[in-house]
Amino acid sequence: MNPFLWLILTVINIYFWIILAMVVMSWLVAFGIVNRSNPYVRQIGYALERLTEPLLRPIRRVLPDLGGIDISPIVLLIAMQFFGMLVTRVFVNLGWA
C-alpha cells in the first residue's frame, strides 16, 4: 500500500474515533452519568470539542434546526467515509496503490 494512502486513511480512521468519543461524551453529560465539574471530564470534553468543532460547525450552519437533535456528526462521519473511498479509488486508478 502506498504510504500516503495509508497516512490519509489512518488520519480519517483516528478522526472517526474522535468524533464517536465526542458523541458518547455528550450523551454521558446529557444523561447525567458524568459531571462537567470534574476537572478530568472537563479537560477531555474541551479537547474533544476543540478537535471536532472546526469540521462540525460548518455542517451545523447548513443543516436545518431539528430541535435538540444534532445530526452533524452523522453527516461528517458519512462524508469522511466517502472521502476515504474516493481517495482510495483515485490512488488505485492512478496506479499508486
Side-chain angles (χ1 to χ4, degrees):
M1 178 183 277
N2 187 315
F4 293 113
L5 177 61
W6 174 84
L7 179 64
I8 292 168
L9 295 178
T10 301
V11 168
I12 289 172
N13 193 26
I14 290 170
Y15 203 73
F16 181 91
W17 289 106
I18 289 172
I19 292 170
L20 284 180
M22 187 271 308
V23 168
V24 169
M25 177 78 166
S26 69
W27 288 346
L28 292 175
V29 169
F31 291 124
I33 297 171
V34 295
N35 190 352
R36 278 272 190 168
S37 63
N38 183 329
Y40 297 114
V41 172
R42 189 174 341 133
Q43 274 301 102
I44 293 170
Y46 179 75
L48 291 173
E49 184 177 322
R50 296 283 296 202
L51 288 170
T52 58
E53 278 303 307
L55 290 179
L56 290 175
R57 191 176 306 117
I59 295 171
R60 287 185 182 127
R61 273 191 233 128
V62 174
L63 290 176
D65 185 21
L66 298 175
I69 300 173
D70 182 19
I71 62 169
S72 58
I74 296 169
V75 172
L76 182 58
L77 291 176
I78 292 170
M80 286 173 36
Q81 294 299 315
F82 174 78
F83 181 72
M85 289 182 199
L86 181 68
V87 168
T88 303
R89 176 62 97 185
V90 167
F91 270 73
V92 167
N93 286 343
L94 292 175
W96 295 349

